[in-house]
Amino acid sequence: MIFFYGRRSLCMKAFQLADIGIFNDAPDFVQFELRQEYAHLYWIPLFPIGKVWCVRKTDDKLYNVNEELLPLLEALPHPRVSWLAFAGPILIAGGLLFSWLVSAFH
């Protein structure tokens, strides 16, 4: 049996340059993204691993944020953890609850 496991990330919040006080236009800049990294099994998120700040550019690729900008970005209001990173345990708990309810009232 082949298990598909690894790590991925999802966008928790996106910010524009004006949100951090930069009003110059950058030609290839799209947005800053706070991304939640998570471990997955069969592409179902199991638990969060960490957060990372990235820059999305016009080529639709993600790049690391310059260390000088991290204090400005961390000062912005953003969520601590995305509940989507716990989708696997939520699905397991829901399935167990459902099976218990079916067996209790059957």
Side-chain angles (χ1 to χ4, degrees):
M1 179 181 261
I2 298 173
F3 288 102
F4 296 102
Y5 60 91
R7 64 190 296 165
R8 298 190 72 171
S9 66
L10 58 93
C11 181
M12 291 174 56
K13 187 120 180 175
F15 298 97
Q16 300 300 320
L17 282 174
D19 296 335
I20 63 169
I22 300 174
F23 297 102
N24 297 338
D25 287 336
D28 60 344
F29 174 84
V30 176
Q31 63 189 8
F32 289 108
E33 293 183 7
L34 176 62
R35 301 193 65 84
Q36 176 76 58
E37 293 181 328
Y38 59 86
H40 69 84
L41 181 64
Y42 286 108
W43 297 284
I44 298 172
L46 294 177
F47 55 88
I49 296 174
K51 292 187 297 187
V52 64
W53 284 97
C54 297
V55 175
R56 184 169 300 274
K57 294 192 175 184
T58 54
D59 61 358
D60 205 31
K61 292 183 182 177
L62 294 172
Y63 298 91
N64 291 333
V65 171
N66 189 344
E67 296 291 327
E68 298 171 348
L69 294 177
L70 284 179
L72 293 172
L73 294 172
E74 287 294 331
L76 295 171
H78 58 275
R80 292 191 181 266
V81 177
S82 173
W83 66 271
L84 289 174
F86 294 103
I90 292 170
L91 289 172
I92 291 169
L96 290 173
L97 179 65
F98 179 74
S99 67
W100 177 76
L101 288 173
V102 167
S103 65
F105 294 107
H106 191 322

